[in-house]
Amino acid sequence: MFTQTKVLTHQGALKMLGAAAKRAEAIGQPQCIVIVDARGQVAAELVMTGAKFLSRKSALAKALTASSIGARSDTIPEAVRPAIGAAAKGDVTGLPGGLPIIVDGVVLGGIGVGSGSGEQDVEVAEAALASIGAIG
């Protein structure tokens, strides 16, 4: 039987959310930020003032993808992106900005960021991970 000993707490999710918002403000790009736990449940989310509201959907898909595969969302191979996205009803994406939350080799969840360029989305997600000592 599998037992996960580490979990993403609400305190950790809120700390990540704050760090992500701070980085987004610093680069002048309002973002949609979604953090999910290892079960794919939303632990925290924020649609910053001025962010593109439809980017919330892509941010969620990025977080779910990263958590599910334990890797960056943009590692989904280009050739299978349309089929896998359709099969998962939009819950899987190959867009950049989704990073797994990995602590001591355990995938605790994922963070998805959207509304900026792919590079901005990744930068904001990385700032969130750094705030709790996680890697993505």
Side-chain angles (χ1 to χ4, degrees), residues 69-136:
I69 66 173
R72 294 168 59 117
S73 56
D74 59 4
T75 63
I76 297 286
E78 189 73 40
V80 301
R81 288 179 185 182
I84 204 167
K89 299 186 183 202
D91 286 342
V92 174
T93 184
L95 294 171
L99 302 179
I101 303 165
I102 302 173
V103 176
D104 296 332
V106 177
V107 178
L108 304 183
I111 179 169
V113 179
S115 203
S117 69
E119 294 81 20
Q120 290 171 321
D121 296 350
V122 169
E123 180 180 346
V124 170
E126 287 174 340
L129 293 178
S131 74
I132 63 163
I135 60 168

Side-chain angles (χ1 to χ4, degrees), residues 22-36:
K22 184 176 179 178
R23 180 61 57 92
E25 289 170 344
I27 65 173
Q29 178 57 59
Q31 296 280 22
C32 295
I33 305 157
V34 180
I35 299 167
V36 300

Side-chain angles (χ1 to χ4, degrees), residues 4-101:
Q4 184 166 331
T5 57
K6 294 190 180 297
V7 296
L8 177 64
T9 65
H10 69 276
Q11 295 99 334
L14 289 173
K15 186 172 184 178
M16 290 177 63
L17 194 63
K22 184 176 179 178
R23 180 61 57 92
E25 289 170 344
I27 65 173
Q29 178 57 59
Q31 296 280 22
C32 295
I33 305 157
V34 180
I35 299 167
V36 300
D37 65 18
R39 300 169 299 146
Q41 298 299 309
V42 174
E45 76 177 292
L46 173 66
V47 176
M48 296 176 68
T49 304
K52 301 169 191 153
F53 67 88
L54 284 178
S55 293
R56 190 259 176 210
K57 290 182 181 185
S58 67
L60 175 59
K62 292 173 186 185
L64 290 170
T65 301
S67 180
S68 177
I69 66 173
R72 294 168 59 117
S73 56
D74 59 4
T75 63
I76 297 286
E78 189 73 40
V80 301
R81 288 179 185 182
I84 204 167
K89 299 186 183 202
D91 286 342
V92 174
T93 184
L95 294 171
L99 302 179
I101 303 165

